[in-house]
Amino acid sequence: MTTLADPVPGGRPGDVERATALSAELTGRGVHGIVLAYVDTAGIGRVKTIPTAKLASAAAWGVGMSPVFDTFLANDSVVSTDVLGSPDGDLRLYPDLDHLVVLSGQPGWAWAPVDRVTQEGERHPGCGRTLLRRIVADAAQRHGISFQAGIEIEWAVGQGSALGDDFVPAVSGPAYGATRQVELSDCTAELMAALAAQGVDVDQLHPEYAAGQFEISVGALDPVAAADRSVLVRQTIRAVSQRHGLKVSFAPAVFAEGVGNGGHVHLSAWREGRNLHSGGEGRYGMTAEAESFAAGLLAHLPALTAVTAPSPASYLRLKPSQWAGVFTAWGRETRESAVRVITGTAGRREQAANLEVKPVDLAANPYLALGCLVAAGLDGLESSAALPDEITGDPARFGAEEAASRGVRRLPTSLDEAVEEFRKDELLRAALGPVLADAVIAVRLGEIAAVAGLDDGQVAAAYRWKY
Ligand SMILES: NC(=O)CC[C@H](N)C(=O)O
């Protein structure tokens, strides 16, 4: 007979005692259930929920969920690889108690990201969260470097129930317009309150460019926490909006034409409390290591798009001159190159300097995206890669010859091209490990097949309400 006090196969020491105390506290706070959340390879958020009283059991033994979701597509059909996609087998979801949050946006619920572990208590090679933690730990060990990351969130607010397919913007008025702010005043105020109560430090919220579009940016955290936060913030935006009779789409392209929803990533590398993107001898105060890190990102970006822009709909967004950053170029405060060097304002550079990577959207699994971005940057850093010249203005103005002479490449224009680049990129495949690398390829090919024969409008519609 085992008890909850027996050694835990997949959980962390001390978690059972903690979870026991926590579940009593949560019950006292009116929390009835806990959402256990992760993101699959296709970028779909998947969950199980447990009653609050089962938290200690979940901390001890995990909660069962099939590994088959690693090769689920956005439309819930399944593809397979050599090791994934089988209807057999099971995994255990272990809530990370350090990141458990009472959901203000969903009264009666708490939320926790999970690590996925085998029934034997071993790391599941398909778990993106575990992978990101290892990539970050490895960087700390090998280079003494830690990272700060933040994922911007853009979304479109539509009218009506989640069942209708069409998108009817819930707000009117111009981009960045005061009218929209007023129209969504109650909902956004409640959102701010919910996020604050959930410990999310919001930097800004504003009406964005596209129809019904808003954007929120939040403070930077270590990469695993930043990815968790991205999932939590979206859950909260959706929940608060729904309470106001609104539905939201984080899809890369709500419509085939026009500006889409990005999920720009802000990333900075630090050593012993010092920001490597500030106070250095390189351009705009970058250290040599930060320049090489940026060069690594640029070099791997064509392949990275298979992870950071993983949906057929991502390529409706990734178009020139729409601030999505579709060229392998960098510049200070540029909005059309893939990598924007942000120096921060004078007086705040040491805290604020970072790199913004733009060809990322919210169909991306944030754990895999951050893991691959860090791996790509570190590849540049390790090889002391040279950062090319800065590009100012919109690279779309270059003819083919000038672009080639400046080393500027257009990023993949389709998911097929992105997969081809990814297949060739041994570094990224190794960073993900064979199981996840194969899953990425199989799932992307599955998505491509799922939209074969559809026109752009149909592709946008197919993914409009998936993310
Ligand atoms: N403010 C912005 O940078 C807009 C970003 C743009 N919506 C994108 O798709 O990336």
Side-chain angles (χ1 to χ4, degrees):
M1 167 89 183
T2 52
T3 72
L4 291 183
D6 284 339
V8 176
R12 290 181 299 183
D15 264 9
V16 176
E17 296 73 15
R18 249 179 104 190
T20 306
L22 200 51
S23 76
E25 185 203 318
L26 293 174
T27 303
R29 292 172 66 185
V31 174
H32 307 298
I34 299 168
V35 182
L36 306 180
Y38 70 97
V39 183
D40 72 12
T41 319
I44 303 294
R46 307 273 178 196
V47 298
K48 282 260 178 115
T49 72
I50 52 168
T52 305
K54 289 283 164 67
L55 185 61
S57 157
W61 312 115
V63 171
M65 193 151 182
S66 167
V68 78
F69 296 102
D70 288 333
T71 48
F72 253 48
L73 304 182
N75 67 9
D76 293 340
S77 61
V78 192
V79 293
S80 56
T81 66
D82 291 347
V83 290
L84 293 170
S86 157
D88 304 336
D90 205 16
L91 293 170
R92 310 303 296 174
L93 311 182
Y94 279 89
D96 186 336
L97 300 181
D98 288 339
H99 292 91
L100 185 143
V101 172
V102 175
L103 291 178
S104 266
Q106 284 174 265
W109 289 97
W111 174 97
V114 298
D115 292 311
R116 294 183 300 146
V117 173
T118 69
Q119 287 179 307
E120 281 65 49
E122 280 155 15
R123 133 176 212 266
H124 169 50
C127 179
R129 192 170 190 270
T130 308
L131 176 83
L132 177 58
R133 190 178 317 103
R134 285 166 69 108
I135 288 175
V136 169
D138 195 43
Q141 199 185 22
R142 285 193 9 242
H143 302 287
I145 287 180
S146 62
F147 295 92
Q148 288 283 297
I151 302 176
E152 291 179 1
I153 293 180
E154 292 188 312
W155 75 100
V157 190
Q159 297 172 16
S161 91
L163 294 175
D165 268 357
D166 291 343
F167 177 82
V168 181
V171 287
S172 57
Y176 308 90
T179 52
R180 281 195 210 174
Q181 195 281 322
V182 176
E183 287 175 75
L184 217 62
S185 182
D186 288 349
C187 179
T188 46
E190 204 180 297
L191 176 61
M192 296 268 207
L195 290 171
Q198 292 172 193
V200 176
D201 144 44
V202 173
D203 280 339
Q204 292 181 25
L205 190 158
H206 67 268
E208 250 296 335
Y209 196 92
Q213 194 180 36
F214 280 77
E215 174 176 335
I216 199 164
S217 45
V218 296
L221 295 171
D222 76 83
V224 174
D228 290 344
R229 179 174 270 190
S230 163
V231 178
L232 172 66
V233 171
R234 280 179 270 169
Q235 172 111 2
T236 308
I237 292 171
R238 193 183 301 282
V240 172
S241 302
Q242 190 158 312
R243 288 159 71 83
H244 285 264
L246 302 169
K247 57 179 183 174
V248 297
S249 171
F250 300 99
V254 178
F255 298 110
E257 301 297 328
V259 169
N261 289 322
H264 301 181
V265 168
H266 292 262
L267 193 57
S268 52
W270 297 66
R271 183 181 287 112
E272 289 165 2
R274 213 188 128 224
N275 186 344
L276 299 183
H277 305 269
S278 157
E281 301 289 300
R283 283 159 281 181
Y284 302 119
M286 286 188 274
T287 62
E289 284 181 310
E291 284 209 0
S292 293
F293 189 86
L297 288 175
L298 286 179
H300 289 284
L301 264 180
L304 274 165
T305 54
V307 178
T308 62
S311 168
S314 301
Y315 297 83
L316 302 173
R317 165 184 172 254
L318 283 185
K319 290 184 182 152
S321 312
Q322 297 194 160
W323 291 8
V326 300
F327 295 96
T328 60
W330 71 275
R332 183 186 180 197
E333 304 295 359
T334 180
R335 285 171 179 74
E336 287 300 348
S337 290
V339 175
R340 168 185 177 194
V341 168
I342 297 179
T343 57
T345 48
R348 267 203 88 230
R349 301 218 152 127
E350 167 66 18
Q351 300 101 291
N354 71 86
L355 299 172
E356 179 183 24
V357 185
K358 290 176 174 288
V360 186
D361 62 48
L362 300 171
N365 174 316
Y367 304 95
L368 301 186
L370 284 173
C372 285
L373 288 168
V374 165
L378 285 177
D379 184 47
L381 185 145
E382 281 166 15
S383 58
S384 302
L387 185 64
D389 288 341
E390 176 183 16
I391 303 292
T392 55
D394 189 347
R397 72 184 186 281
F398 297 142
E401 218 169 284
E402 185 168 6
S405 75
R406 290 171 181 260
V408 173
R409 277 182 68 190
R410 172 83 161 87
L411 290 175
T413 57
S414 68
L415 189 53
D416 310 51
E417 265 183 58
V419 171
E420 285 319 303
E421 295 286 350
F422 179 80
R423 280 187 202 277
K424 289 187 281 183
D425 196 313
E426 282 173 29
L427 177 103
L428 291 187
R429 291 206 325 272
L432 289 175
V435 171
L436 265 171
D438 285 355
V440 163
I441 292 171
V443 168
R444 303 298 176 262
L445 294 178
E447 298 293 354
I448 292 166
V451 297
L454 300 189
D455 64 28
D456 286 354
Q458 290 167 322
V459 170
Y463 293 93
R464 184 174 292 145
W465 303 114
K466 300 294 183 192
Y467 312 105

